[in-house]
Coordinates of all heavy atoms in Angstrom, one line a residue:
A1 N 0.8 -1.2 0.0 CA 0.0 0.0 0.0 C 0.9 1.2 0.0 O 1.9 1.3 0.6 CB -0.9 0.0 1.2
I2 N 0.4 2.2 -0.7 CA 1.2 3.5 -0.8 C 0.7 4.4 0.4 O -0.5 4.6 0.6 CB 0.9 4.2 -2.1 CG1 1.4 3.4 -3.3 CG2 1.6 5.6 -2.1 CD1 1.0 3.9 -4.6
R3 N 1.7 4.8 1.1 CA 1.4 5.7 2.3 C 1.7 7.1 1.9 O 2.7 7.4 1.3 CB 2.3 5.3 3.5 CG 1.9 4.0 4.0 CD 2.8 3.7 5.2 NE 2.4 2.4 5.8 CZ 2.5 2.1 7.0 NH1 3.0 3.0 7.9 NH2 2.1 0.9 7.5
P4 N 0.8 8.1 2.3 CA 1.0 9.5 2.0 C 2.2 10.0 2.8 O 2.4 9.6 4.0 CB -0.3 10.1 2.4 CG -0.9 9.2 3.4 CD -0.5 7.8 3.0
T5 N 2.9 10.9 2.2 CA 4.0 11.6 3.0 C 3.4 12.8 3.6 O 2.2 13.2 3.4 CB 5.1 12.0 2.0 OG1 4.6 12.9 1.1 CG2 5.7 10.7 1.3
R6 N 4.2 13.5 4.3 CA 3.7 14.7 5.0 C 3.3 15.8 3.9 O 2.3 16.5 4.2 CB 4.9 15.3 5.8 CG 4.4 16.3 6.8 CD 5.4 16.8 7.8 NE 6.7 16.1 7.7 CZ 7.8 16.6 8.2 NH1 7.7 17.7 8.9 NH2 8.9 16.0 8.2
N7 N 3.9 15.8 2.8 CA 3.5 16.7 1.7 C 2.4 16.2 0.8 O 2.1 16.8 -0.2 CB 4.7 17.1 0.9 CG 5.8 17.8 1.7 OD1 5.4 18.5 2.7 ND2 7.0 17.6 1.4
Q8 N 1.9 15.0 1.0 CA 1.0 14.4 0.1 C -0.2 13.9 0.9 O -0.3 12.8 1.4 CB 1.6 13.1 -0.6 CG 0.7 12.5 -1.6 CD 1.4 11.2 -2.2 OE1 2.3 10.7 -1.6 NE2 0.9 10.8 -3.3
P9 N -1.2 14.8 1.1 CA -2.4 14.4 1.9 C -3.2 13.3 1.2 O -3.2 13.2 0.0 CB -3.2 15.7 2.0 CG -2.8 16.5 0.8 CD -1.3 16.1 0.5
I10 N -4.0 12.6 2.0 CA -4.9 11.7 1.5 C -6.1 12.4 0.9 O -6.7 13.2 1.6 CB -5.4 10.7 2.6 CG1 -4.2 9.9 3.1 CG2 -6.4 9.7 2.0 CD1 -4.5 9.0 4.2
A11 N -6.5 12.1 -0.3 CA -7.7 12.7 -0.9 C -8.9 12.1 -0.3 O -9.0 10.9 -0.2 CB -7.7 12.5 -2.4
P12 N -9.9 12.9 0.1 CA -11.1 12.4 0.6 C -11.9 11.6 -0.4 O -11.9 11.9 -1.6 CB -11.9 13.6 1.1 CG -11.4 14.7 0.3 CD -10.0 14.4 0.0
A13 N -12.5 10.5 0.0 CA -13.3 9.7 -0.9 C -14.6 10.4 -1.2 O -15.2 11.2 -0.4 CB -13.7 8.3 -0.2
E14 N -15.1 10.2 -2.5 CA -16.3 10.9 -2.9 C -17.5 10.2 -2.2 O -17.6 9.0 -2.2 CB -16.4 10.8 -4.4 CG -17.6 11.5 -5.0 CD -17.7 11.5 -6.5 OE1 -16.6 11.7 -7.1 OE2 -18.8 11.2 -7.0
P15 N -18.3 11.0 -1.6 CA -19.5 10.4 -0.9 C -20.4 9.7 -1.8 O -20.6 10.2 -3.0 CB -20.1 11.6 -0.1 CG -19.7 12.8 -0.9 CD -18.4 12.5 -1.5
P16 N -21.1 8.6 -1.4 CA -22.0 8.0 -2.3 C -23.2 8.9 -2.5 O -23.6 9.7 -1.7 CB -22.4 6.7 -1.6 CG -22.0 7.0 -0.2 CD -20.9 8.0 -0.2
A17 N -23.9 8.7 -3.7 CA -25.1 9.5 -4.0 C -26.2 9.1 -3.0 O -26.4 7.9 -2.8 CB -25.5 9.3 -5.4
P18 N -26.9 10.1 -2.5 CA -28.1 9.7 -1.6 C -29.1 8.9 -2.4 O -29.4 9.2 -3.5 CB -28.6 11.0 -1.1 CG -27.7 12.1 -1.6 CD -26.8 11.5 -2.6
M19 N -29.7 7.9 -1.7 CA -30.7 7.1 -2.4 C -32.0 7.3 -1.6 O -31.9 7.5 -0.4 CB -30.3 5.6 -2.4 CG -29.1 5.3 -3.2 SD -29.4 5.5 -4.9 CE -27.8 5.7 -5.5
P20 N -33.1 7.1 -2.2 CA -33.4 7.1 -3.6 C -33.4 8.5 -4.2 O -33.4 9.5 -3.4 CB -34.8 6.4 -3.7 CG -35.5 6.9 -2.4 CD -34.4 6.9 -1.4
Y21 N -33.4 8.6 -5.5 CA -33.6 9.9 -6.1 C -34.4 9.8 -7.4 O -34.5 8.7 -8.0 CB -32.2 10.5 -6.4 CG -31.3 9.7 -7.4 CD1 -31.4 9.8 -8.8 CD2 -30.3 8.9 -6.9 CE1 -30.6 9.1 -9.6 CE2 -29.5 8.2 -7.7 CZ -29.6 8.3 -9.1 OH -28.8 7.6 -9.9
W22 N -35.0 10.9 -7.8 CA -35.8 10.9 -9.0 C -35.0 11.2 -10.2 O -34.0 11.9 -10.2 CB -36.9 12.0 -8.9 CG -37.9 11.7 -7.9 CD1 -38.0 12.2 -6.6 CD2 -39.0 10.8 -8.1 NE1 -39.1 11.6 -6.0 CE2 -39.7 10.7 -6.8 CE3 -39.4 10.0 -9.1 CZ2 -40.8 9.9 -6.7 CZ3 -40.5 9.1 -8.9 CH2 -41.2 9.1 -7.7
S23 N -35.4 10.6 -11.4 CA -34.6 10.7 -12.6 C -35.6 10.7 -13.8 O -36.8 10.4 -13.6 CB -33.6 9.6 -12.7 OG -34.3 8.3 -12.8
Y24 N -35.0 11.0 -14.9 CA -35.8 11.0 -16.2 C -34.9 10.5 -17.3 O -33.7 10.4 -17.1 CB -36.4 12.3 -16.5 CG -35.3 13.4 -16.6 CD1 -34.8 13.7 -17.9 CD2 -34.8 14.1 -15.5 CE1 -33.8 14.7 -18.0 CE2 -33.8 15.0 -15.7 CZ -33.3 15.3 -16.9 OH -32.3 16.3 -17.0
V25 N -35.5 10.2 -18.5 CA -34.7 9.8 -19.6 C -35.0 10.7 -20.8 O -36.1 11.3 -20.9 CB -35.0 8.3 -20.0 CG1 -34.5 7.3 -18.9 CG2 -36.4 8.0 -20.3
L26 N -34.0 10.8 -21.7 CA -34.2 11.7 -22.9 C -34.7 10.9 -24.1 O -35.2 11.4 -25.1 CB -32.9 12.4 -23.2 CG -32.5 13.3 -22.1 CD1 -31.1 14.0 -22.5 CD2 -33.5 14.4 -21.8
S27 N -34.5 9.5 -24.1 CA -35.0 8.7 -25.1 C -35.4 7.3 -24.5 O -35.2 7.1 -23.3 CB -33.9 8.4 -26.2 OG -32.8 7.8 -25.6
E28 N -36.1 6.5 -25.2 CA -36.6 5.2 -24.6 C -35.4 4.4 -24.2 O -34.4 4.3 -24.9 CB -37.4 4.5 -25.7 CG -38.8 5.1 -25.9 CD -39.7 4.3 -26.7 OE1 -39.4 3.2 -27.1 OE2 -40.9 4.7 -26.9
V29 N -35.6 3.8 -23.0 CA -34.5 2.9 -22.4 C -35.1 1.6 -22.0 O -36.1 1.6 -21.3 CB -33.9 3.7 -21.2 CG1 -32.8 2.8 -20.5 CG2 -33.2 5.0 -21.6
E30 N -34.5 0.5 -22.3 CA -34.9 -0.8 -21.9 C -34.7 -1.0 -20.5 O -33.7 -0.6 -19.9 CB -34.2 -1.9 -22.7 CG -34.6 -2.0 -24.2 CD -33.8 -3.1 -24.9 OE1 -32.7 -3.4 -24.5 OE2 -34.4 -3.6 -25.9
V31 N -35.7 -1.7 -19.8 CA -35.6 -2.1 -18.4 C -35.6 -3.6 -18.4 O -36.4 -4.3 -19.0 CB -36.8 -1.5 -17.6 CG1 -36.7 -2.0 -16.2 CG2 -36.8 0.0 -17.7
F32 N -34.6 -4.1 -17.6 CA -34.4 -5.6 -17.5 C -34.9 -6.1 -16.2 O -34.9 -5.4 -15.2 CB -32.9 -5.9 -17.6 CG -32.4 -5.6 -19.0 CD1 -31.9 -4.3 -19.2 CD2 -32.3 -6.5 -20.0 CE1 -31.4 -4.0 -20.5 CE2 -31.8 -6.2 -21.2 CZ -31.3 -4.9 -21.5
D33 N -35.4 -7.4 -16.2 CA -35.9 -8.0 -15.0 C -34.9 -8.0 -13.9 O -33.7 -8.1 -14.1 CB -36.3 -9.5 -15.4 CG -37.0 -10.2 -14.3 OD1 -38.2 -10.0 -14.1 OD2 -36.3 -11.0 -13.5
L34 N -35.5 -7.9 -12.6 CA -34.6 -7.8 -11.4 C -33.8 -9.1 -11.2 O -32.7 -9.0 -10.7 CB -35.4 -7.5 -10.2 CG -36.0 -6.1 -10.1 CD1 -37.0 -5.9 -8.9 CD2 -34.8 -5.1 -10.0
T35 N -34.3 -10.2 -11.6 CA -33.6 -11.5 -11.3 C -33.1 -12.1 -12.6 O -32.0 -12.8 -12.6 CB -34.6 -12.5 -10.6 OG1 -35.7 -12.7 -11.4 CG2 -34.9 -12.0 -9.2
D36 N -33.7 -12.0 -13.7 CA -33.3 -12.5 -15.0 C -32.8 -11.3 -15.8 O -33.5 -10.7 -16.6 CB -34.4 -13.2 -15.8 CG -33.9 -13.8 -17.1 OD1 -32.8 -13.5 -17.5 OD2 -34.7 -14.4 -17.8
H37 N -31.5 -11.0 -15.7 CA -30.9 -9.8 -16.3 C -30.8 -9.8 -17.8 O -30.3 -8.9 -18.4 CB -29.5 -9.5 -15.7 CG -29.6 -9.5 -14.2 ND1 -28.7 -10.2 -13.4 CD2 -30.4 -8.8 -13.3 CE1 -29.0 -10.0 -12.1 NE2 -30.0 -9.2 -12.1
T38 N -31.3 -10.9 -18.4 CA -31.3 -11.0 -19.9 C -32.7 -10.7 -20.5 O -32.8 -10.5 -21.7 CB -30.8 -12.3 -20.4 OG1 -31.8 -13.3 -19.9 CG2 -29.4 -12.7 -19.9
R39 N -33.7 -10.6 -19.6 CA -35.1 -10.4 -20.1 C -35.5 -9.0 -20.0 O -35.6 -8.4 -18.9 CB -36.0 -11.3 -19.3 CG -37.4 -11.4 -19.8 CD -38.2 -12.5 -19.2 NE -38.4 -12.3 -17.7 CZ -39.5 -11.8 -17.2 NH1 -40.5 -11.5 -18.0 NH2 -39.6 -11.7 -15.9
V40 N -35.9 -8.4 -21.1 CA -36.4 -7.0 -21.1 C -37.9 -7.1 -20.7 O -38.7 -7.9 -21.2 CB -36.3 -6.4 -22.5 CG1 -37.0 -5.0 -22.6 CG2 -34.9 -6.3 -23.0
I41 N -38.2 -6.3 -19.7 CA -39.6 -6.3 -19.1 C -40.4 -5.0 -19.4 O -41.6 -5.0 -19.2 CB -39.6 -6.5 -17.6 CG1 -38.8 -5.5 -16.9 CG2 -39.1 -7.9 -17.3 CD1 -39.0 -5.4 -15.4
G42 N -39.7 -4.0 -20.0 CA -40.4 -2.8 -20.3 C -39.5 -1.7 -20.8 O -38.3 -2.0 -21.1
T43 N -40.0 -0.5 -21.0 CA -39.3 0.6 -21.5 C -39.5 1.8 -20.7 O -40.7 2.1 -20.4 CB -39.7 0.8 -23.0 OG1 -39.5 -0.4 -23.7 CG2 -38.8 1.9 -23.6
M44 N -38.5 2.5 -20.4 CA -38.6 3.9 -19.7 C -38.8 4.8 -20.9 O -38.2 4.8 -21.9 CB -37.3 4.2 -19.0 CG -37.0 3.3 -17.8 SD -35.4 3.5 -17.1 CE -35.6 5.2 -16.4
K45 N -39.7 5.8 -20.7 CA -40.1 6.7 -21.7 C -39.9 8.2 -21.3 O -40.1 8.5 -20.1 CB -41.6 6.5 -22.1 CG -41.8 5.1 -22.6 CD -43.2 5.0 -23.2 CE -43.5 3.5 -23.7 NZ -42.7 3.1 -24.7
P46 N -39.5 9.0 -22.2 CA -39.3 10.4 -21.9 C -40.7 11.0 -21.4 O -41.7 10.6 -21.9 CB -38.9 11.1 -23.3 CG -38.3 9.9 -24.1 CD -39.1 8.7 -23.6
G47 N -40.6 12.0 -20.6 CA -41.8 12.6 -20.0 C -42.3 11.9 -18.8 O -43.4 12.3 -18.3
T48 N -41.7 10.9 -18.3 CA -42.1 10.2 -17.1 C -41.0 10.2 -16.1 O -39.8 10.1 -16.4 CB -42.4 8.7 -17.4 OG1 -43.4 8.7 -18.4 CG2 -42.9 7.9 -16.2
W49 N -41.3 10.4 -14.8 CA -40.3 10.4 -13.7 C -40.2 8.9 -13.2 O -41.1 8.2 -13.1 CB -40.8 11.3 -12.6 CG -40.7 12.7 -12.9 CD1 -41.7 13.5 -13.2 CD2 -39.5 13.5 -12.9 NE1 -41.2 14.8 -13.4 CE2 -39.8 14.8 -13.2 CE3 -38.1 13.2 -12.7 CZ2 -38.9 15.8 -13.4 CZ3 -37.2 14.2 -12.8 CH2 -37.6 15.5 -13.1
Y50 N -38.9 8.6 -12.9 CA -38.6 7.3 -12.4 C -37.8 7.4 -11.1 O -36.9 8.3 -11.0 CB -37.7 6.5 -13.5 CG -38.5 6.2 -14.7 CD1 -38.5 7.1 -15.8 CD2 -39.4 5.1 -14.8 CE1 -39.2 6.9 -16.9 CE2 -40.1 4.9 -15.9 CZ -40.0 5.8 -17.0 OH -40.8 5.6 -18.1
L51 N -38.1 6.6 -10.2 CA -37.4 6.6 -8.9 C -36.2 5.6 -9.0 O -36.4 4.4 -9.3 CB -38.3 6.2 -7.8 CG -37.7 6.3 -6.4 CD1 -37.4 7.7 -6.0 CD2 -38.7 5.7 -5.4
V52 N -35.0 6.1 -8.7 CA -33.8 5.2 -8.7 C -33.7 4.8 -7.2 O -33.5 5.6 -6.3 CB -32.5 5.9 -9.2 CG1 -31.3 5.1 -8.9 CG2 -32.7 6.3 -10.6
K53 N -33.8 3.5 -7.0 CA -33.8 3.0 -5.6 C -32.3 2.7 -5.2 O -32.0 2.8 -4.0 CB -34.6 1.7 -5.5 CG -36.1 1.9 -5.7 CD -36.8 0.6 -5.5 CE -38.3 0.9 -5.4 NZ -39.1 -0.4 -5.1
R54 N -31.5 2.2 -6.1 CA -30.1 2.0 -5.8 C -29.3 1.9 -7.1 O -29.8 1.7 -8.1 CB -29.9 0.7 -5.0 CG -30.4 -0.5 -5.7 CD -30.3 -1.8 -4.8 NE -31.0 -2.9 -5.4 CZ -30.6 -4.1 -5.4 NH1 -29.5 -4.4 -4.7 NH2 -31.3 -5.1 -5.9
E55 N -28.0 2.0 -6.9 CA -27.0 1.9 -8.0 C -26.1 0.7 -7.7 O -25.6 0.6 -6.6 CB -26.2 3.2 -8.1 CG -27.0 4.4 -8.4 CD -26.1 5.7 -8.5 OE1 -24.9 5.6 -8.2 OE2 -26.7 6.7 -8.9
V56 N -25.8 0.0 -8.7 CA -24.9 -1.1 -8.6 C -24.0 -1.1 -9.9 O -24.5 -1.4 -11.0 CB -25.6 -2.5 -8.5 CG1 -24.5 -3.6 -8.5 CG2 -26.5 -2.6 -7.3
G57 N -22.7 -0.7 -9.7 CA -21.9 -0.5 -10.9 C -22.4 0.4 -11.9 O -22.8 1.6 -11.6
S58 N -22.6 0.0 -13.1 CA -23.2 0.8 -14.2 C -24.7 0.6 -14.4 O -25.2 1.0 -15.4 CB -22.4 0.6 -15.5 OG -22.6 -0.7 -15.9
W59 N -25.3 0.1 -13.4 CA -26.8 -0.2 -13.5 C -27.5 0.5 -12.3 O -27.0 0.8 -11.3 CB -27.1 -1.7 -13.4 CG -26.5 -2.4 -14.6 CD1 -25.3 -3.0 -14.7 CD2 -27.1 -2.5 -15.8 NE1 -25.1 -3.5 -15.9 CE2 -26.2 -3.2 -16.7 CE3 -28.3 -2.2 -16.4 CZ2 -26.5 -3.6 -18.0 CZ3 -28.6 -2.5 -17.7 CH2 -27.7 -3.2 -18.5
V60 N -28.8 0.9 -12.6 CA -29.6 1.5 -11.6 C -30.9 0.6 -11.5 O -31.4 0.1 -12.5 CB -30.0 2.9 -11.8 CG1 -28.8 3.8 -11.6 CG2 -30.6 3.1 -13.2
H61 N -31.4 0.5 -10.2 CA -32.7 -0.2 -10.0 C -33.7 0.9 -10.0 O -33.7 1.8 -9.1 CB -32.6 -0.9 -8.6 CG -33.9 -1.5 -8.2 ND1 -34.0 -2.1 -7.0 CD2 -35.1 -1.6 -8.7 CE1 -35.2 -2.6 -6.8 NE2 -35.9 -2.3 -7.9
V62 N -34.6 0.8 -11.0 CA -35.6 1.9 -11.2 C -37.0 1.4 -11.1 O -37.3 0.2 -11.3 CB -35.4 2.6 -12.6 CG1 -34.1 3.3 -12.7 CG2 -35.6 1.6 -13.7
T63 N -37.9 2.3 -10.7 CA -39.3 2.0 -10.7 C -40.1 3.2 -11.2 O -39.6 4.3 -11.0 CB -39.8 1.5 -9.3 OG1 -41.2 1.1 -9.4 CG2 -39.7 2.6 -8.3
G64 N -41.2 3.0 -11.9 CA -42.0 4.1 -12.4 C -43.4 3.9 -12.0 O -43.8 2.8 -11.7
N65 N -44.2 4.9 -12.0 CA -45.6 4.8 -11.8 C -46.4 5.6 -12.8 O -46.5 6.8 -12.6 CB -46.0 5.2 -10.3 CG -47.4 4.9 -10.0 OD1 -48.1 4.2 -10.6 ND2 -47.8 5.6 -8.9
P66 N -46.9 5.1 -13.8 CA -46.8 3.7 -14.2 C -45.4 3.4 -14.8 O -44.7 4.3 -15.3 CB -47.9 3.5 -15.3 CG -47.9 4.9 -16.0 CD -47.6 5.9 -14.9
G67 N -45.1 2.2 -14.8 CA -43.8 1.8 -15.4 C -43.3 0.6 -14.8 O -43.7 0.1 -13.8
P68 N -42.3 0.0 -15.5 CA -41.7 -1.2 -15.0 C -40.7 -1.0 -13.8 O -40.2 0.1 -13.6 CB -40.9 -1.7 -16.2 CG -40.5 -0.5 -16.9 CD -41.7 0.5 -16.7
E69 N -40.5 -2.0 -13.0 CA -39.4 -2.0 -12.0 C -38.4 -3.0 -12.4 O -38.7 -4.2 -12.6 CB -40.0 -2.4 -10.6 CG -38.9 -2.3 -9.5 CD -39.5 -2.5 -8.1 OE1 -40.7 -2.5 -8.0 OE2 -38.6 -2.5 -7.2
G70 N -37.1 -2.5 -12.5 CA -36.1 -3.4 -12.9 C -34.8 -2.6 -13.0 O -34.6 -1.6 -12.4
W71 N -33.8 -3.2 -13.8 CA -32.5 -2.6 -14.0 C -32.4 -1.8 -15.3 O -32.9 -2.3 -16.3 CB -31.4 -3.7 -14.0 CG -31.3 -4.4 -12.7 CD1 -31.7 -5.6 -12.4 CD2 -30.7 -3.9 -11.5 NE1 -31.4 -5.9 -11.1 CE2 -30.8 -4.8 -10.5 CE3 -30.1 -2.7 -11.2 CZ2 -30.3 -4.7 -9.3 CZ3 -29.5 -2.5 -9.9 CH2 -29.7 -3.5 -9.0
A72 N -31.8 -0.7 -15.3 CA -31.5 0.1 -16.5 C -30.1 0.6 -16.5 O -29.5 0.7 -15.4 CB -32.5 1.3 -16.6
S73 N -29.6 1.0 -17.6 CA -28.2 1.6 -17.7 C -28.2 2.9 -16.9 O -29.0 3.8 -17.1 CB -27.9 1.8 -19.1 OG -26.7 2.5 -19.2
K74 N -27.2 3.0 -16.0 CA -27.0 4.2 -15.2 C -26.7 5.4 -16.1 O -27.1 6.5 -15.8 CB -25.8 4.0 -14.2 CG -25.5 5.1 -13.4 CD -24.4 4.8 -12.4 CE -23.9 5.9 -11.6 NZ -22.9 5.5 -10.7
H75 N -26.0 5.2 -17.2 CA -25.7 6.2 -18.2 C -26.9 6.8 -19.0 O -26.7 7.8 -19.6 CB -24.6 5.8 -19.1 CG -23.4 5.3 -18.3 ND1 -22.6 6.1 -17.6 CD2 -22.9 4.0 -18.2 CE1 -21.6 5.3 -17.0 NE2 -21.8 4.1 -17.4
A76 N -28.0 6.1 -19.0 CA -29.1 6.5 -19.7 C -30.1 7.4 -18.9 O -31.0 8.0 -19.5 CB -29.9 5.3 -20.2
V77 N -30.0 7.4 -17.6 CA -30.9 8.1 -16.8 C -30.2 9.5 -16.3 O -29.0 9.5 -16.2 CB -31.4 7.4 -15.5 CG1 -32.1 6.1 -15.9 CG2 -30.2 7.0 -14.6
N78 N -31.0 10.5 -16.2 CA -30.6 11.8 -15.8 C -31.2 12.1 -14.4 O -32.4 12.0 -14.2 CB -31.0 12.8 -16.8 CG -30.4 12.6 -18.1 OD1 -29.3 13.0 -18.4 ND2 -31.1 12.0 -19.0
R79 N -30.3 12.4 -13.5 CA -30.7 12.7 -12.1 C -31.4 14.1 -12.1 O -31.0 15.0 -12.7 CB -29.5 12.7 -11.2 CG -29.9 12.8 -9.8 CD -28.6 12.9 -8.9 NE -29.0 12.9 -7.6 CZ -28.6 12.0 -6.7 NH1 -27.7 11.0 -7.0 NH2 -29.0 12.0 -5.4
Q80 N -32.5 14.2 -11.3 CA -33.2 15.4 -11.1 C -32.3 16.4 -10.4 O -31.7 16.0 -9.4 CB -34.5 15.3 -10.4 CG -35.2 16.6 -10.1 CD -36.3 16.4 -9.1 OE1 -36.4 15.4 -8.4 NE2 -37.2 17.4 -9.1
G81 N -32.1 17.6 -10.9 CA -31.3 18.6 -10.2 C -30.0 18.5 -10.5 O -29.0 18.6 -10.7

């Protein structure tokens, strides 16, 4: 492990994003089943708000009302604010 010297402070870790948060999409995005990650169960559509419940790597667990609940690409959703 690399240890910081007196002239090299430790950079603070970036805090995790607070969960859950509201998001939207700019184009249609496929949503995959929560347990069968190969099965498309619906589509996120522009003009609808989606709640991101958690993030795992490059995926987000989303739910909409109306709308599917499942996994979508983190890069396809835009966080409110």
Side-chain angles (χ1 to χ4, degrees):
I2 298 174
R3 293 182 176 210
T5 64
R6 198 173 353 165
N7 297 331
Q8 184 183 20
I10 298 174
E14 185 175 314
M19 297 290 160
Y21 61 84
W22 290 101
S23 64
Y24 59 95
V25 294
L26 298 176
S27 61
E28 291 191 355
V29 175
E30 291 181 330
V31 177
F32 295 87
D33 188 78
L34 289 172
T35 56
D36 179 359
H37 305 130
T38 64
R39 187 168 66 98
V40 175
I41 58 167
T43 305
M44 297 170 68
K45 300 189 183 294
T48 302
W49 286 103
Y50 296 92
L51 184 66
V52 172
K53 293 183 170 186
R54 62 186 168 141
E55 297 178 354
V56 178
S58 61
W59 295 93
V60 288
H61 176 182
V62 295
T63 185
N65 186 17
E69 180 172 358
W71 293 105
S73 170
K74 180 179 178 178
H75 304 292
V77 300
N78 296 280
R79 187 182 185 123
Q80 176 190 18

